[in-house]
Each structure stands twice: as structure tokens, then as C-alpha cells.
Amino acid sequence: NFFELGGNSLLLLRMHRELEKQYPGALSVADLFAYPTVSKLAGRLDEAASAAVGVQVVPIRIPQQANSFDRRARQGDLLRLPLGNQTVQQLERIGELEGVDPELAAIGIWAVMLAQTFRQPRFDLLLCGLSDGSGIASIDLNAVKGYPELLRVLRETKRQSSPPYPVLLKPEGESAESGILPLYRGGYAAGAPADWLSASGLTAGLTGTGAETVLQAEYDAGKIGKEKVKELLQSFPLWCRRMAVEGQTKEQTAAGVQGRRELE
């Protein structure tokens, strides 16, 4: 700690002048008070650098057959799917079984669907407009052990509440132009960073409550076809039912095992 090593206000100002030569405009004097160790100050510099140049993210590569015939960039096309009571209740049940809110359960299902549909287990998912924070979730289904662990990854991303840094597409195997950056927008009407909205080729989110809940998707028709987006929306209730059944079965199995142990 700078002050524990004998630092004082005069030395702090002197240090700030030296740092300003190397990192002009990146740090304020107040930052030196708030981040008084080398590691904390280095972390603050990394944040400042990320905010300045943007964060590289991995998009989802879109197969040629899923591309739209309209190759012009055209954001703003919208599809909506009313979910109905049964799907809403299944989301609530999944949330209850996994110890998360239903919207986080929906985000997890959406992430799994994207990975399965486009056969890409590794990609980045932007999250914003959520009650407990926003961030960039690194989805890697090969690295997590099932749906519950994926939910933990998503929950941790939200807790970090990272600032909405500019995002830069990172090509993997194909050019960035052939991919989309998925964005999940909580409470859909809530504000979202303008550069995130412009970078995203597919923005999804839930609107309404109870029986009026709707899954909404806004997409760039120049990058992904309407039929593929419609397929994703129509698959969502099926995945909700599947995950609810799997969760219920797992709970019953665990209860049976516990019952046998008690008998023994």
C-alpha cells in the first residue's frame, strides 16, 4: 500500500505526474487514493484501456444456409412469440429448482439454444438491462458441467456489473462480418448502450408478465434470415419444457437417494 510505505499527498501528486507521462488521461489523483497498491492500480489501468479501445468479443458464425437473401445491413426487424401460461410456469419452476430468478433461467436456455442451433459452443453473450448488473458472458458449453453450472457463470457475470465498454468483434475462423453478436436485453424497454445495440445482430428479451409474457427478438436481416430467427423463437417453449422435466427428474432422483440413505 502506497501510504503504508510512507507515501503522502505530495508524493502522490509527484507520482501522478510521472504516470501521466506514460498513461496520459488514464488516471486521476482520486484514482491513486482509491487504488493504492500496484495490482489495484494496474487493474484500473486495464479498465481504462478497455474502455478506450473496446473489448474483443467472440461472435456466433452464421452458416450460409441461415443467412438472409437480403445482404444489406438492416437492423430493426422484429419477431414476437407469446409464451403462454405453461411456458411461464415452467420457467418459474426451473428457477425454483436451480435457485435463480426465472429470467436468468430464460437467459441460460437461450444461450444453450444458440450454441446448439449454430453448432458453436463458445461465444460471447452481451447482457444488459438486468436488475443486478450487466456484463459480457463468455459462454463455453464444453467447459461447463451442465445447465446449473452455466447459470452460475451467467449469475457471476451479472454480479460483476462491468461498465458497458465498446465491443469489437473477434473473428474466429471466419471474418467478423459473417457473424452476429447476441445480446440479451432484460426488461426489453430498459435502456441499452447504443454501441451494443448497433453491434448486436440478434437482440432477445422477455416483455410483459404472467400470461402476457412475450419473447421478443430484434435482428439484422442482412446477417441472419427471418426463418432462422423464427425457428429460434418457436424452439424456446420446447426447451423450457425439456429443462423443467430434466430438473424435476433430477430432484426426484435426489429425493429418492436421500430417502434410501435415511432408511439405511
Side-chain angles (χ1 to χ4, degrees), residues 198-209:
S198 62
S200 173
L202 178 63
T203 299
L206 298 178
T207 64
T209 58

Side-chain angles (χ1 to χ4, degrees), residues 36-228:
T37 68
V38 172
S39 61
K40 290 180 179 179
L41 200 58
R44 179 68 186 94
L45 278 169
D46 284 343
E47 290 180 3
S50 295
V53 303
V55 176
Q56 281 199 322
V57 290
V58 179
I60 292 177
R61 297 181 298 278
I62 304 299
Q64 186 62 39
Q65 61 269 26
N67 284 339
S68 171
F69 290 109
D70 182 357
R71 298 308 303 149
R72 297 169 297 169
R74 191 184 72 203
Q75 288 182 315
D77 285 29
L78 188 67
L79 290 174
R80 304 173 80 249
L81 178 72
L83 294 184
N85 274 328
Q86 186 177 35
T87 300
V88 172
Q89 290 170 2
Q90 287 166 348
L91 278 175
E92 291 173 349
R93 182 57 178 153
I94 295 168
E96 180 183 334
L97 290 169
E98 301 296 346
V100 299
D101 63 80
E103 184 158 52
L104 186 62
I107 296 171
I109 291 172
W110 186 250
V112 171
M113 287 174 52
L114 290 173
Q116 295 281 354
T117 299
F118 297 106
R119 301 182 183 279
Q120 184 177 328
R122 168 75 181 95
F123 62 92
D124 287 325
L125 174 63
L126 304 183
L127 302 172
C128 73
L130 301 164
S131 59
D132 53 352
S134 61
I136 303 173
S138 294
I139 307 298
D140 189 349
L141 296 192
N142 290 333
V144 298
K145 297 178 180 178
Y147 180 69
E149 188 171 335
L150 174 62
L151 292 180
R152 285 195 289 272
V153 171
L154 292 169
R155 184 163 45 190
E156 188 60 33
T157 298
K158 290 170 64 181
R159 284 176 179 168
Q160 292 173 2
S161 301
S162 56
Y165 296 135
V167 291
L168 304 173
L169 295 185
K170 178 182 179 182
E172 285 205 348
E174 300 178 17
S175 66
E177 288 73 20
S178 65
I180 59 169
L181 182 60
L183 166 65
Y184 188 94
R185 188 175 176 184
Y188 213 89
D195 67 296
W196 281 25
L197 289 174
S198 62
S200 173
L202 178 63
T203 299
L206 298 178
T207 64
T209 58
E212 303 300 319
T213 302
V214 172
L215 177 61
Q216 184 164 301
E218 186 174 349
Y219 62 100
D220 183 341
K223 291 189 173 182
I224 183 171
K226 178 179 179 179
E227 291 305 313
K228 181 56 67 173

